[in-house]
């Protein structure tokens, strides 16, 4: 299905760009009562209001199998191409150590366009059946529909969108049905051939036969082993053949050159050479920074570039990651969340030559936290990226022997102040005062009102849907990027815009967070300006599309190839 297209409300620039408002977008900007600054705020959308009645089962047992602690991801996606974000949630399932009493299933919720959702999982064919972990959404086959890759403890699955509300599982046929324990997945174009390739994070070697008894805690109860107790595996890289199939290039590309215990991953361009690199969080071994060599190979340079270990030289328990230019200097910075006592790191990119952990505020505020899903996003529409983090300790008995650390933990919200981030969780709403066993986190504008909402998955519990209700008097322009020459995600595109005479820039990374997938649209914060002076999209192909005098308060479709090639 293709959404109806209305008048753009933006003048066509000299490049001859075709632009259009996505149907259903709310053409009003958020405005505070006094038109001034007020806190970033979210409200919890309860299940009775959203229609989302579903619960994750983490297979918790007295045997304390490690997959029980990891939880699962979540996604905002538009599976039926109607211009409204739907929701996909991952569940566990039968495995070599778990036999559920009733069938467990994933959940696909269709957006009803009125703030509510309808469960269409069975009709869509997305129940799953594996012990699910993560999800990554993209149109890998360029047929105009969003497909889903689901990782698992067991066998990964590729669900091909049939364009009629249903999906067909084709993992084996396409060559990406890897078996083992895999966590995160990222669609990106590593070789710049305009086809979406697939990176998959490989976690530890684990099975019921390989499980270990790691002793009792102070309460005399068996506790979970940490990943250090198990052998590493390797990450995977699948090259898209352009015909619906993939070739495993993990070894020849260098991705499998180092042993992994990997969770979150993000593809970005750390050195501004036009080729996407990979930052990967590892648990109890060094983080990876795979630098693209522009010849089909990568070199792992995490140690050289300062992101592999803590400042003390220790491997940490890396879980969620993301990338963004948080300080506006034109270089992609990196973020990684760790377990309690290890602190989280905001790495400032020093002109592609080094990374420096810079934020004392974040280190101080995360000392007792364990972070999983997270995302840089402009939550207040002022033009720069803020940061939201989902937290929760992996051990449900942690409070018995660490009194300052809790199993369920608060979400964290950091507001961008230019050169650092400030913790504003205390004024962000009741959701940030409560505690959760949070894991995955996805962002998206599910109600099409022009601000970014948040979806959080919890381990062994229901998801949390948060609606952005910030009132600041700030305005926005939304972009729906439709690639024709570049890869279908437009991963690697650079977006520049000017509002009120202030110019800003954003790089379109791919992946990020923890086991989760985000709204593919771009929301550009304009601050108090009532329109964008201009918006420019530099596509990965080199094509440049430009819009002039773009009216605030609407989503605009930008099609590659209608602009000038500069």
């Amino acid at each position: 299905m293709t959404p109806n297209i209305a008048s753009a409300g933006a003048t066509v620039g000299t490049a001859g760009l075709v632009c259009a408002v996505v149907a259903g977008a709310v053409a009003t900007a958020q405005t505070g009562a006094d038109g001034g600054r007020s806190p970033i705020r979210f409200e919890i959308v309860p299940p009775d209001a959203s229609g989302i009645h579903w619960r994750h089962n983490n297979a918790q047992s007295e045997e304390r199998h490690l997959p029980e602690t990891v939880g699962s991801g979540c996604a905002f996606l538009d599976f039926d191409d109607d211009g409204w974000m739907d929701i996909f949630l991952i569940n566990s399932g039968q495995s070599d150590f778990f036999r559920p009493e009733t069938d467990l299933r994933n959940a696909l919720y269709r957006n009803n366009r009125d703030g509510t959702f309808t469960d269409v999982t069975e009709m869509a064919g997305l129940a799953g059946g594996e012990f699910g972990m993560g999800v990554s959404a993209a149109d890998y086959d360029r047929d105009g529909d969003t497909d889903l890759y689901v990782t698992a403890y067991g066998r990964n699955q590729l669900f091909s969108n049939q364009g009629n509300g249903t999906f067909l599982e084709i993992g084996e046929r396409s060559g990406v049905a890897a078996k083992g324990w895999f966590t995160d997945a990222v669609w990106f174009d590593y070789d710049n051939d305009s086809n979406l390739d697939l990176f998959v994070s490989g976690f530890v070697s684990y099975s019921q036969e390989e499980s270990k008894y790691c002793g009792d805690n102070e309460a005399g109860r068996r506790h979970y082993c940490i990943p250090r107790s198990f052998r590493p595996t390797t990450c995977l890289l699948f090259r898209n053949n352009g015909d619906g199939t993939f070739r495993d290039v993990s070894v020849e590309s260098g991705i499998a050159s180092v042993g992994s215990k990997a969770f979150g991953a993000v593809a970005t361009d750390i050195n501004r050479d036009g080729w996407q690199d990979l930052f990967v969080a590892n648990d109890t071994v060094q983080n990876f920074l795979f630098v693209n060599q522009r010849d089909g190979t990568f070199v792992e340079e995490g140690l050289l570039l300062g992101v592999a270990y803590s400042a003390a030289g220790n491997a940490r328990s890396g879980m969620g990651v993301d990338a963004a230019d948080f300080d506006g200097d034109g270089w992609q910075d990196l973020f990684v969340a760790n377990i309690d006592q290890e602190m989280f790191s905001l790495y400032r990119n020093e002109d592609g030559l080094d990374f420096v952990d810079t934020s004392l505020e974040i280190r101080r505020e995360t000392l007792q936290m364990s972070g999983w899903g997270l995302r840089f996003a402009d939550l207040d529409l002022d033009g720069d990226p803020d940061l939201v983090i989902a937290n929760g300790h992996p051990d449900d008995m942690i409070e018995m022997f660490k009194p300052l650390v809790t199993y369920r933990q608060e979400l964290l919200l950091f507001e961008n102040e230019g050169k650092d981030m400030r913790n504003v969780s205390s004024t962000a709403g009741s959701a940030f005062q409560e505690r959760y066993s949070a894991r995955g986190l996805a962002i998206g504008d599910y109600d099409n009102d022009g601000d970014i909402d948040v979806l959080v998955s919890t381990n062994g519990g229901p998801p949390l849907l948060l609606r952005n209700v910030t009132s600041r008097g700030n305005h926005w322009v939304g972009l729906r990027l439709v690639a024709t020459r570049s890869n279908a995600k437009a991963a690697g595109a650079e977006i520049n815009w000017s509002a009120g005479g202030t110019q800003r820039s954003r790089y379109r990374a791919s992946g990020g967070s923890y086991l989760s997938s985000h709204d593919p649209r771009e929301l550009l914060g304009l601050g108090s300006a009532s329109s964008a002076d201009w918006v420019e999209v530099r596509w990965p192909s080199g094509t440049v599309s430009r819009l002039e005098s773009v009216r605030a308060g609407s989503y605009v479709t930008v099609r590659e190839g209608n602009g000038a090639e500069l």
Side-chain angles (χ1 to χ4, degrees), residues 185-437:
V186 178
W187 293 103
F188 75 125
D189 183 10
Y190 83 95
D191 52 2
N192 280 357
D193 67 351
S194 298
N195 293 317
L196 281 173
D197 310 302
L198 180 63
F199 171 85
V200 185
S201 295
F203 200 51
V204 299
S205 179
Y206 192 91
S207 66
Q208 186 173 27
E209 290 72 26
E210 293 176 274
S211 64
K212 299 178 180 181
Y213 174 72
C214 291
D216 296 333
N217 58 25
E218 284 93 335
R221 297 173 62 184
R222 180 172 178 172
H223 65 76
Y224 289 109
C225 299
I226 62 174
R228 188 175 290 114
S229 305
F230 301 96
R231 293 183 294 113
T233 58
T234 57
C235 297
L236 302 176
L237 181 63
F238 296 101
R239 183 178 185 272
N240 191 329
N241 296 323
D243 60 1
T245 67
F246 295 79
R247 183 167 66 90
D248 187 338
V249 295
S250 310
V251 174
E252 65 188 75
S253 67
I255 291 296
S257 64
V258 283
S260 68
K261 299 182 180 182
F263 277 142
V266 63
T268 191
D269 184 359
I270 63 149
N271 50 16
R272 294 171 56 173
D273 65 353
W275 297 72
Q276 289 202 298
D277 314 295
L278 283 163
F279 180 48
V280 183
N282 278 288
D283 195 336
T284 69
V285 298
Q286 77 276 14
N287 297 328
F288 301 148
L289 185 49
F290 290 110
V291 179
N292 197 322
Q293 302 299 292
R294 300 180 290 180
D295 60 1
T297 68
F298 292 83
V299 173
E300 202 288 290
E301 296 185 358
L303 178 60
L304 176 66
L305 295 175
V307 298
Y309 299 100
S310 71
N314 299 318
R316 296 183 288 183
S317 300
M319 294 176 286
V321 300
D322 203 13
D325 177 14
F326 87 92
D327 54 0
D329 66 354
W331 295 88
Q332 287 284 287
D333 309 301
L334 302 174
F335 188 91
V336 60
N338 304 295
I339 205 168
D340 68 284
Q341 313 307 314
E342 294 181 347
M343 296 175 289
F344 305 173
S345 289
L346 176 59
Y347 290 111
R348 177 179 282 118
N349 189 332
E350 301 290 330
D351 299 341
L353 302 175
D354 193 17
F355 286 85
V356 178
D357 190 355
T358 60
S359 178
L360 177 62
E361 174 85 353
I362 286 177
R363 293 198 299 274
R364 179 174 55 242
E365 297 295 325
T366 61
L367 179 60
Q368 309 296 343
M369 311 297 279
S370 298
W372 304 81
L374 56 95
R375 189 65 168 172
F376 284 109
D378 185 2
L379 302 174
D380 51 10
L381 302 176
D382 64 355
D384 55 25
D386 309 298
L387 179 64
V388 59
I389 310 173
N391 306 289
H393 200 278
D395 186 353
D396 64 326
M397 295 186 289
I398 188 67
E399 295 162 47
M400 296 180 181
F401 50 94
K402 278 191 178 181
L404 296 180
V405 179
T406 59
Y407 172 59
R408 292 178 175 83
Q409 298 178 352
E410 297 91 345
L411 308 175
L412 288 174
L413 179 60
F414 291 90
E415 184 175 2
N416 193 323
E417 295 196 326
K419 297 301 181 182
D420 203 354
M421 296 281 187
R422 180 171 62 94
N423 188 356
V424 295
S425 307
S426 62
T427 58
S430 62
F432 291 80
Q433 313 311 313
E434 299 180 20
R435 294 177 176 178
Y436 308 92
S437 56

Side-chain angles (χ1 to χ4, degrees), residues 125 155-160 167-173 177:
R155 182 179 68 91
N156 296 349
Q157 298 173 297
L158 176 59
F159 292 96
S160 174
F167 290 78
L168 181 65
E169 204 287 298
I170 60 167
E172 294 285 355
R173 183 197 314 172

Side-chain angles (χ1 to χ4, degrees), residues 66 100 118 137 142 172-173 194 201 391 468 501 510 526 549-551:
L66 192 57
T118 297
R142 304 187 74 100
E172 294 285 355
R173 183 197 314 172
S194 298
S201 295
N391 306 289
N468 192 328
S510 190
L526 307 183
S549 302
V550 187
R551 175 173 53 87

Side-chain angles (χ1 to χ4, degrees), residues 71-151:
S72 64
C74 55
F76 280 118
L77 74 155
D78 184 6
F79 85 94
D80 52 2
D81 199 25
D82 66 350
W84 294 76
M85 288 298 112
D86 311 299
I87 285 175
F88 186 60
L89 303 162
I90 303 293
N91 213 341
S92 62
Q94 184 169 303
S95 71
D96 58 353
F97 68 85
F98 179 49
R99 298 290 186 273
E101 295 180 359
T102 59
D103 289 339
L104 302 178
R105 63 178 180 85
N106 304 325
L108 177 66
Y109 281 94
R110 185 183 63 218
N111 194 322
N112 297 326
R113 312 185 197 182
D114 60 2
T116 68
F117 295 83
T118 297
D119 188 336
V120 294
T121 312
E122 297 295 341
M123 178 180 67
L126 285 174
E130 297 291 326
F131 198 104
M133 290 283 143
V135 56
S136 188
D139 179 14
Y140 82 93
D141 52 4
R142 304 187 74 100
D143 66 353
D145 300 307
T146 301
D147 311 296
L148 291 171
Y149 187 73
V150 178
T151 61

Side-chain angles (χ1 to χ4, degrees), residues 509-565:
S510 190
S513 190
Y514 173 81
L515 310 186
S516 300
S517 198
H518 312 283
D519 186 337
R521 300 171 298 180
E522 296 284 349
L523 266 173
L524 310 183
L526 307 183
S528 60
S530 59
S531 66
D533 308 320
W534 51 264
V535 177
E536 187 176 88
V537 179
R538 183 175 295 273
W539 301 83
S541 68
T543 300
V544 175
S545 301
R546 186 177 175 94
L547 298 79
E548 302 283 351
S549 302
V550 187
R551 175 173 53 87
S554 60
Y555 279 99
V556 178
T557 295
V558 184
R559 297 185 183 276
E560 182 182 16
N562 292 326
E565 293 190 19

